[in-house]
Amino acid sequence: MTIEIDDTETRATPTLASIAQQVGVSVNTVSRALRAPNTVRAELRKRINVAMEELNYVPNRLAGCLSGTRTDIVGVVVTSLYYSEFASIIDTLQSALLDRDLQVMLANTRYNPDQELRLVRSILSWRPAAVAIIGVDHPPKVVELLKASGIPIIEMWDTGGEVIDSAIGFDHEEVGAAQARHLIEQGYRKLAFVGSVRENDRRAQKRLHGFETEAAAAGLVPVAKLTAQQGGNPDLGERLALELLDRHPEIDAVACNSDVVAFGVLRALTKRGKRMPEDIGVIAFGDNEAAACVTPPLTTIRPDRERIGRLTADAIFARINGTEPRTTVVDWHLVARDSTRRRKP
Amino acid sequence: MTIEIDDTETRATPTLASIAQQVGVSVNTVSRALRAPNTVRAELRKRINVAMEELNYVPNRLAGCLSGTRTDIVGVVVTSLYYSEFASIIDTLQSALLDRDLQVMLANTRYNPDQELRLVRSILSWRPAAVAIIGVDHPPKVVELLKASGIPIIEMWDTGGEVIDSAIGFDHEEVGAAQARHLIEQGYRKLAFVGSVRENDRRAQKRLHGFETEAAAAGLVPVAKLTAQQGGNPDLGERLALELLDRHPEIDAVACNSDVVAFGVLRALTKRGKRMPEDIGVIAFGDNEAAACVTPPLTTIRPDRERIGRLTADAIFARINGTEPRTTVVDWHLVARDSTRRRKP
DNA sequence: TGGCACAAAGTTACCGTTAACGCAACGATC
DNA sequence: GATCGTTGCGTTAACGGTAACTTTGTGCCA
């Protein structure tokens, strides 16, 4: 009597060994057929490929990366996924990384520092090749972990202060200052600031601070200011704008922390019969896809998200290849539309 | 003379072995301190935790998952990251997965089937616990791979046809039909359809088909139709709408495949002096955050993205725990605003 | 005081892949 | 025709964990 071990029955996910057995070669030869094809005879390689196709073989990268030291995950940590704030950064970044066969592992902190620590830890546990993260301000432990990891860290969207490794972004104080400057140049004098400025949204805080500082420099203090802790959306903008009009009926210009908030502000001002840009001017930040389509078309500041995404990918490749860390400042533009007065030259 | 081997010099990323050596216990005890803490003496556990903190130890999940068969990656495959189309699905989904310590690995196919195959293969190579993917239509090889993987597959955003495992979405033909029905109910008769309907955007095609079928059922053929292969955006909408007015000046209603396209359509119609909703009605799909803020506020169809994201997470947990696959249809709502006539009752 | 159950730690064997190394067969070289 | 570099493949040892099994130590009870 013979004992037959029926291992064709078990439909376990195929491994290199399954292929090797089927073709009648060693495991390593199969591995080589994948990693260094020209070291395997063409005929044999073909048979191996056929077997892999037949068995629907998918390499196990857990094992591959564990063995081969290099990983091809890139951790991407953002603070928000709502609206289009960071979507096109992620889109551009992931598309560029794909060219080099790098996979994106995504995490969303929702502006919560505890969550950020947890997520960074979780991402590092996958031994990524690099980490791209929004902001240059992180809890001390996050900075420590990222530094200790020894991999390239690209901080996106913001610059200034202490950088962990490399940064690609712009100065948000400048953006706030530019909002104030534009309004002042257009002849507005009673400035207000409205929007979501969360406790942990350092960029929003910077923009507000830049706005106030610039206004103060022009002798325009105090400026009315109405902020909220919740995330920005049109309803919030509408609510804050109505409150603002009640408290400070004299204001003649509003700077918003984001376009979606401004959308609500425009609605509120229209309801109250304010003419824009004659009675009141509105400027925002973000260049949402609808900014040119609201009434009146919204003057806003357009950060170059695609460029940040692409440069981040470039920086990751460069750093992996041993280039020195560097900080790159990315341009943004003020897009003047009809929601602010166009002063005659 | 003594030879000193200085291994404190090498700052390699710490492993369980480093911790074990420092504390003076076996590797396994350290592992247990993490995975089954109550099987390790409290005092010893404390010393281990201190050492891990000191050395900034981050567990290597590559090794952990390779050994322990279970992974905590969930692959998420979307067709687009632009605008807010899928952002809030991803946001809700990732947040819900986080509660169970599952990590999102993101891929964006950009409506390219070859890319989809490549990305699915890449994701499966990480041996994810589950895959959530947009759409119910995939290249045959993708379906084969996903089926062969043996893990839960949740198809999101669409339903109907052959489902791989589970699906959570809605019928896009119905949506198109609802657009037509609404316009007809409001008294419009010369209907047009405008938008981005890409070769591989099956959902867009379904909506268009549903729209045409419903219009035909009401005896309103032929309907003017202007579509583009590029992705939707306001400029495209404006261009298509202008062309539409030139070719078919008689039309009195436009259905758009997405809100962002409709934004441009509104702009074009306004430029041409059309009054909405009197001269012409506009309905769209997506409920973009700005839909209520454009002029006139846009009638549109709102899919419940948060619900899809949450139900997908639930389905993943359920399937992992051995529940049967199932298809769930998620409600959507027609949000009537001022861009379509409100017929008096 | 011996026996036994149980808690706490150590040993060992993988997980699937890659990389370093080894070795045979073969053609080129002098 | 012995030497040597290539080519093509097999062997073996990691990679850093986890899980099953084994060993040691402790308290309790008969």
Side-chain angles (χ1 to χ4, degrees):
Chain A
M1 171 193 156
T2 49
I3 296 170
E4 287 183 29
I5 295 170
D6 189 358
D7 51 31
T8 62
E9 193 68 50
T10 61
R11 277 269 165 264
T13 48
T15 68
L16 277 190
S18 328
I19 312 290
Q21 197 184 1
Q22 172 136 340
V23 179
V25 292
S26 80
V27 173
N28 195 342
T29 304
V30 182
S31 172
R32 261 190 292 250
L34 281 170
R35 305 293 149 222
N38 52 340
T39 66
V40 177
R41 249 184 319 128
E43 182 268 341
L44 184 55
R45 200 168 58 214
K46 197 165 183 179
R47 277 166 52 212
I48 291 174
N49 285 333
V50 168
M52 294 200 294
E53 188 66 17
E54 256 175 33
L55 297 179
N56 277 326
Y57 172 71
V58 176
N60 185 332
R61 289 220 239 198
L62 295 174
C65 293
L66 179 60
S67 175
T69 52
R70 86 177 90 89
T71 322
D72 37 18
I73 290 178
V74 170
V76 175
V77 183
V78 299
T79 49
S80 152
L81 272 172
Y82 266 116
Y83 308 138
S84 27
E85 199 176 359
F86 299 124
S88 64
I89 291 185
I90 300 176
D91 187 37
T92 318
L93 177 57
Q94 109 108 48
S95 160
L97 291 176
L98 200 64
D99 295 339
R100 302 284 225 288
D101 274 307
L102 293 173
Q103 265 292 332
V104 165
M105 184 163 261
L106 185 71
N108 176 11
T109 69
R110 295 184 165 190
Y111 292 104
N112 178 339
D114 296 334
Q115 189 104 298
E116 181 174 354
L117 176 55
R118 184 172 162 213
L119 287 169
V120 164
R121 213 186 273 277
S122 175
I123 279 185
L124 287 179
S125 75
W126 289 103
R127 298 291 181 268
V131 168
I133 186 168
I134 292 288
V136 290
D137 54 300
H138 313 283
K141 189 69 188 174
V142 168
V143 174
E144 193 180 341
L145 281 176
L146 289 176
K147 275 189 175 154
S149 72
I151 57 173
I153 309 292
I154 318 291
E155 291 170 283
M156 302 180 292
W157 194 243
D158 196 2
T159 57
E162 199 119 323
V163 166
I164 298 176
D165 176 319
S166 298
I168 292 168
F170 53 92
D171 184 340
H172 288 252
E173 294 235 12
E174 282 259 336
V175 167
Q179 289 180 317
R181 213 176 307 125
H182 176 77
L183 292 176
I184 294 166
E185 279 170 11
Q186 303 306 314
Y188 299 107
R189 287 295 174 268
K190 312 278 189 195
L191 312 188
F193 190 96
V194 150
S196 154
V197 182
R198 277 170 283 197
E199 191 186 347
N200 297 301
D201 187 350
R202 195 77 191 84
R203 272 83 57 201
Q205 290 164 11
K206 284 184 181 177
R207 292 194 295 271
L208 171 53
H209 186 255
F211 178 82
E212 291 183 310
T213 308
E214 185 74 15
L220 298 179
V221 273
V223 173
K225 171 172 70 176
L226 231 58
T227 62
Q229 284 291 324
Q230 62 178 112
N233 61 55
D235 289 341
L236 173 70
E238 181 163 9
R239 193 166 58 72
L240 291 180
L242 291 175
E243 200 179 324
L244 186 73
L245 286 178
D246 288 342
R247 286 211 232 159
H248 307 275
E250 75 280 13
I251 61 132
D252 66 357
V254 181
C256 298
N257 216 345
S258 73
D259 282 10
V260 283
V261 165
F263 294 159
V265 170
L266 295 182
R267 205 163 55 190
L269 296 179
T270 304
K271 273 189 192 171
R272 288 288 176 95
K274 296 283 186 181
R275 292 170 309 158
M276 292 165 280
E278 297 82 3
D279 300 340
I280 199 163
V282 177
I283 186 171
F285 166 75
D287 198 41
N288 184 283
E289 62 268 18
C293 300
V294 289
T295 312
L298 183 65
T299 294
T300 189
I301 283 172
R302 172 192 305 181
D304 196 342
R305 296 190 175 85
E306 277 76 16
R307 196 167 149 75
I308 291 178
R310 198 156 29 74
L311 289 180
T312 300
D314 291 346
I316 289 173
F317 302 143
R319 292 283 293 124
I320 288 176
N321 292 330
T323 325
E324 288 302 301
R326 52 176 296 194
T327 291
T328 307
V329 175
V330 173
D331 279 348
W332 43 264
H333 294 96
L334 196 152
V335 184
R337 298 201 182 94
D338 296 344
S339 70
T340 50
R341 200 178 296 157
R342 311 280 179 83
R343 165 174 281 183
K344 300 283 180 297
Chain B
M1 172 192 155
T2 49
I3 296 170
E4 287 183 29
I5 295 170
D6 189 358
D7 52 31
T8 62
E9 194 67 52
T10 61
R11 278 267 166 265
T13 48
T15 68
L16 277 190
S18 329
I19 312 289
Q21 198 184 358
Q22 171 135 339
V23 179
V25 291
S26 80
V27 173
N28 196 333
T29 305
V30 183
S31 172
R32 261 190 292 248
L34 281 170
R35 305 291 148 224
N38 53 339
T39 65
V40 177
R41 251 184 319 130
E43 182 268 341
L44 185 55
R45 202 167 57 214
K46 198 166 183 180
R47 276 167 52 212
I48 290 174
N49 285 333
V50 168
M52 293 200 293
E53 188 68 15
E54 254 175 37
L55 298 179
N56 276 324
Y57 173 72
V58 176
N60 184 334
R61 289 220 239 198
L62 294 174
C65 294
L66 179 59
S67 174
T69 51
R70 88 177 89 89
T71 322
D72 39 16
I73 290 179
V74 170
V76 175
V77 183
V78 299
T79 49
S80 153
L81 271 172
Y82 266 115
Y83 308 139
S84 27
E85 199 176 357
F86 300 123
S88 65
I89 291 186
I90 301 176
D91 187 37
T92 319
L93 177 57
Q94 107 108 46
S95 160
L97 292 176
L98 201 63
D99 294 340
R100 302 284 225 289
D101 272 308
L102 293 172
Q103 264 294 331
V104 165
M105 184 164 262
L106 186 71
N108 176 13
T109 69
R110 296 184 165 191
Y111 293 103
N112 177 340
D114 296 333
Q115 189 103 299
E116 181 173 353
L117 176 55
R118 186 174 160 211
L119 287 169
V120 164
R121 213 185 273 277
S122 175
I123 279 184
L124 287 179
S125 74
W126 289 103
R127 297 290 181 271
V131 168
I133 186 168
I134 292 288
V136 290
D137 54 299
H138 312 282
K141 188 69 187 173
V142 168
V143 174
E144 193 180 340
L145 282 176
L146 289 176
K147 275 189 175 154
S149 72
I151 57 172
I153 310 292
I154 319 291
E155 291 170 282
M156 303 180 290
W157 193 242
D158 196 3
T159 57
E162 198 117 323
V163 166
I164 299 176
D165 176 322
S166 299
I168 292 166
F170 53 94
D171 185 340
H172 288 253
E173 294 233 14
E174 282 259 338
V175 167
Q179 289 181 318
R181 213 176 308 125
H182 176 77
L183 292 176
I184 294 165
E185 279 170 9
Q186 303 307 313
Y188 299 106
R189 287 295 173 267
K190 312 277 188 193
L191 311 189
F193 189 95
V194 150
S196 153
V197 182
R198 277 170 283 197
E199 191 186 348
N200 297 301
D201 187 350
R202 195 78 190 81
R203 272 82 57 202
Q205 290 165 12
K206 283 184 181 176
R207 292 194 295 271
L208 171 53
H209 186 255
F211 179 81
E212 291 182 310
T213 308
E214 185 74 14
L220 297 180
V221 274
V223 173
K225 171 172 71 176
L226 230 59
T227 61
Q229 283 293 324
Q230 63 179 111
N233 61 55
D235 289 341
L236 173 69
E238 181 163 10
R239 192 164 61 70
L240 292 179
L242 292 176
E243 201 178 323
L244 185 75
L245 286 180
D246 289 341
R247 288 210 230 159
H248 307 275
E250 76 279 14
I251 62 134
D252 67 357
V254 181
C256 297
N257 215 344
S258 74
D259 283 10
V260 283
V261 165
F263 294 159
V265 169
L266 296 183
R267 203 164 55 191
L269 296 178
T270 305
K271 272 189 193 171
R272 287 288 176 93
K274 297 282 186 182
R275 290 170 309 160
M276 291 166 281
E278 298 82 3
D279 301 340
I280 198 163
V282 177
I283 187 171
F285 165 75
D287 198 41
N288 184 283
E289 63 267 18
C293 301
V294 290
T295 312
L298 183 66
T299 294
T300 189
I301 283 173
R302 174 192 304 181
D304 197 342
R305 296 191 175 86
E306 277 76 16
R307 196 166 149 76
I308 292 179
R310 199 156 28 74
L311 289 181
T312 300
D314 291 347
I316 289 173
F317 302 143
R319 292 282 293 122
I320 288 175
N321 292 331
T323 324
E324 287 303 299
R326 53 177 295 196
T327 290
T328 308
V329 175
V330 173
D331 279 348
W332 43 264
H333 294 96
L334 196 152
V335 184
R337 298 201 182 94
D338 297 343
S339 69
T340 50
R341 200 177 296 157
R342 311 283 178 84
R343 164 173 281 183
K344 299 284 177 298

